[in-house]
Amino acid sequence: MNASNTGSVLTFGELLLRICPDADGSWLNANQLPVHVGGAELNVATALALWGIDTSYFTALPDNGLSAQIINYVNERGIDTSAIHNGGTRLGLFYLTTGADMKHDAVIYDRAGSAFAELKPGVINWDKVLSDVSWFHFSAICPALSQQTADLCAEVLIAASKRDITISIDLNYRAKLWQYGKHPQEIMPNLVKYCHLIMGNIWAAESLLGIPVNPDVHHIGTKENYLKEAINSSEKIMELFPKCRAVANTFRFDHETGIKYYTALYQDGELHNSSEYISENVIDKVGSGDCFMAGLIYGYRKQMNPLAIVNFATAAAFEKLSIAGDATKSTIEQITQAIKYAN
């Protein structure tokens, strides 16, 4: 990867408030709703800052008192917020029933007209924003909002690429957001071509990049077969996108009352996979993938070997399932103690 261990990691995306009604409507009588500050890229930044990585965050927020409170909240987590752009009139929101998954029908987005969604190319001085940055991270959620936001992503990726900044992407696919008349495969390849580290899963790669998944993979349903499919998908990604140096895949399945989870990292022609984790007590499913992404970035910044990276990132993501809120609170020591090693 040749990732620098100096300079800051900049994450780019929309800050969101997650509003969490309970499933049976008791919040109506209680007259209150839990609220979490999040957004995929902010969750990554929060984890990295907690783990001692120099981290900054770019988003757009309206210039008002509520935004000032939120910026202070982000600052208190050790994240540099000096790049945040003030403009627009509203924050982005989404509603998710307590305990539900982001891919579940329970998610409702309220992001149209937000400060980030309204931000146009040509407004931000990217040379200034990227001046001390050595790693840039974004997700496939951003270009799902609109053509304008996709163009904004392209603008910053070109600027980061010119500065030889390491670039990573999380291929998180949100079907409910792709509503502006473009298929993801018309947009995403033109952004992914700048990326050195690509994270997601085999099904997201199919939806966003057009890389087919064996239709029998679920029918067979074994870890060995899923990992084989991860190799096939990773090799095709690297063929299509020559800048890519590593591909990470997560596998998360319902298991009895909880979750079964494992991951893989493909680099230098070799697949490195984690042990299998099983949890029967999931507190919050939101942010687990973001925590895995942060673990990958942390591992590369610390110049760990690929197997050590995937083991750390997997344990971090699994620990997040037992933590309420959008971002992890687990320390390096806690994550290290939680690592399971494959036989």
Side-chain angles (χ1 to χ4, degrees):
M1 286 286 291
N2 297 321
S4 172
N5 59 1
T6 61
S8 69
V9 176
L10 175 70
T11 70
F12 165 98
E14 183 168 18
L15 186 149
L16 297 167
L17 296 184
R18 172 165 64 109
I19 300 172
C20 305
D22 52 79
D24 63 6
S26 296
W27 64 272
L28 291 163
N29 291 322
N31 204 31
Q32 59 184 5
L33 280 170
V35 176
H36 299 288
V37 177
E41 301 82 8
L42 178 58
N43 297 339
V44 173
T46 302
L48 289 171
L50 175 64
W51 300 336
I53 300 296
D54 185 10
T55 308
S56 54
Y57 178 57
F58 177 88
T59 194
L61 297 174
D63 188 6
N64 57 36
L66 179 62
S67 294
Q69 290 178 342
I70 292 171
I71 290 171
N72 184 61
Y73 173 89
V74 175
N75 269 324
E76 287 175 348
R77 274 131 194 87
I79 301 167
D80 181 356
T81 59
S82 60
I84 291 179
H85 174 74
N86 291 122
T89 58
R90 60 160 302 196
L91 287 164
L93 311 173
F94 72 99
Y95 301 82
L96 183 67
T97 304
T98 301
D101 193 289
M102 284 294 293
K103 301 179 183 66
H104 195 272
D105 287 341
V107 66
I108 300 171
Y109 292 105
D110 182 13
R111 303 173 65 167
S114 70
F116 186 83
E118 293 293 297
L119 186 59
K120 298 179 180 179
V123 173
I124 304 300
N125 181 344
W126 294 117
D127 284 334
K128 180 178 179 181
V129 171
L130 298 170
S131 61
D132 296 317
V133 172
S134 59
W135 189 299
F136 176 88
H137 174 69
F138 76 116
S139 82
I141 292 175
C142 296
L145 298 178
S146 67
Q147 183 64 60
Q148 177 175 288
T149 310
D151 293 341
L152 182 72
C153 291
E155 182 181 65
V156 65
L157 288 169
I158 291 168
S161 188
K162 286 179 178 177
R163 300 180 73 94
D164 293 324
I165 293 170
T166 301
I167 299 172
S168 59
I169 184 170
D170 182 349
L171 292 179
N172 30 22
Y173 176 56
R174 302 288 184 263
K176 285 189 175 182
L177 291 178
W178 287 93
Q179 300 297 324
Y180 60 94
K182 291 291 183 71
H183 192 280
Q185 293 170 28
E186 297 178 75
I187 301 295
M188 291 307 304
N190 289 326
L191 304 178
V192 172
K193 69 183 181 183
Y194 297 103
C195 299
H196 304 94
L197 171 61
I198 298 170
M199 189 279 274
N201 61 54
I202 57 176
W203 300 280
E206 182 176 53
S207 297
L208 297 172
L209 303 177
I211 295 172
V213 175
N214 181 346
D216 293 328
V217 68
H218 260 321
H219 176 70
I220 299 170
T222 63
K223 182 178 179 180
E224 179 184 14
N225 199 58
Y226 284 124
L227 293 178
K228 180 181 178 181
E229 199 66 24
I231 293 173
N232 293 336
S233 179
S234 300
E235 289 177 342
K236 289 172 183 173
I237 286 173
M238 288 185 161
E239 289 173 10
L240 287 172
F241 306 105
K243 283 194 173 184
C244 180
R245 295 292 177 265
V247 179
N249 278 282
T250 62
F251 295 92
R252 194 175 87 182
F253 305 107
D254 292 336
H255 177 77
E256 297 178 358
T257 59
I259 278 176
K260 179 189 295 183
Y261 185 79
Y262 54 90
T263 74
L265 178 63
Y266 186 83
Q267 181 179 318
D268 298 325
E270 186 176 355
L271 187 76
H272 307 270
N273 63 275
S274 75
S275 294
E276 193 172 280
Y277 290 73
I278 296 176
S279 174
E280 301 299 343
N281 184 31
V282 175
I283 302 299
D284 201 329
K285 297 177 182 178
V286 175
S288 176
D290 305 327
C291 195
F292 179 74
M293 185 75 244
L296 294 175
I297 297 173
Y298 176 85
Y300 281 112
R301 286 294 296 247
K302 293 296 183 179
Q303 300 182 340
M304 296 159 62
N305 65 60
L307 183 58
I309 291 172
V310 76
N311 281 333
F312 177 84
T314 306
F318 186 74
E319 286 287 287
K320 171 61 190 71
L321 293 171
S322 62
I323 297 171
D326 286 36
T328 189
K329 299 178 179 67
S330 293
T331 64
I332 294 295
E333 293 74 19
Q334 290 170 325
I335 294 165
T336 301
Q337 291 174 6
I339 293 174
K340 292 171 60 178
Y341 294 97
N343 296 328

